[in-house]
Amino acid sequence: MVKKIKTCVFISGTGSNLESIIKSSRDYIFPIKIKLIISNNINAKGLRLAKKYSIPYKFFSSKNKKKFERNSLFVIKKRKIKFLCLAGFMKKLSSNFIKCFGYKIIN
């Protein structure tokens, strides 16, 4: 059995990349399992995909970057996420966020 890595996907928009990742992650040999989707855009079409595929999701406003990062890290750590995928996420994450997360991140 393939041990899948608990993954969170950050999105900002339509979710076209997200849908490809979700479909691939359903494959037995694909190494990740999407446990959470985070968006900084309440109107992101990708959130509809989260609902469609029954994946938990969170929205946090990015108007206050520190608060966005703090809230994101809190839920990521709570769910024991070990891998982040930035799929059309249109904001830069701070070096502090990256250091505090401490695992792999891909864009």
Side-chain angles (χ1 to χ4, degrees):
M1 170 133 186
V2 174
K3 183 172 178 170
K4 295 191 173 232
I5 301 166
K6 292 181 181 180
T7 301
C8 175
V9 182
F10 279 43
I11 63 168
S12 289
T14 60
S16 53
N17 290 330
L18 174 62
E19 188 161 30
S20 294
I21 295 166
I22 291 170
K23 287 179 178 179
S24 294
S25 72
R26 304 278 165 125
D27 188 314
Y28 173 76
I29 62 169
F30 203 74
I32 68 165
K33 176 154 181 79
I34 302 171
K35 294 297 226 173
L36 180 64
I37 295 169
I38 293 178
S39 181
N40 64 326
N41 176 0
I42 192 69
N43 297 313
K45 292 178 184 175
L47 294 178
R48 291 187 209 139
L49 292 171
K51 292 176 192 174
K52 176 181 175 182
Y53 290 100
S54 301
I55 300 170
Y57 64 91
K58 296 284 184 185
F59 159 76
F60 300 118
S61 172
S62 61
K63 288 183 182 186
N64 181 325
K65 185 175 183 174
K66 286 184 180 185
K67 190 173 180 181
F68 171 84
E69 290 185 351
R70 184 176 60 244
N71 289 336
S72 297
L73 278 170
F74 177 79
V75 296
I76 287 167
K77 290 184 179 204
K78 184 177 178 182
R79 293 175 186 265
K80 300 180 180 170
I81 301 293
K82 303 291 184 206
F83 188 69
L84 294 183
C85 179
L86 310 179
F89 184 67
M90 302 308 290
K91 297 287 182 182
K92 279 186 165 182
L93 295 172
S94 71
S95 58
N96 185 59
F97 177 93
I98 294 167
K99 185 174 84 175
C100 288
F101 176 62
Y103 297 99
K104 296 203 184 256
I105 302 172
I106 62 168
N107 186 5

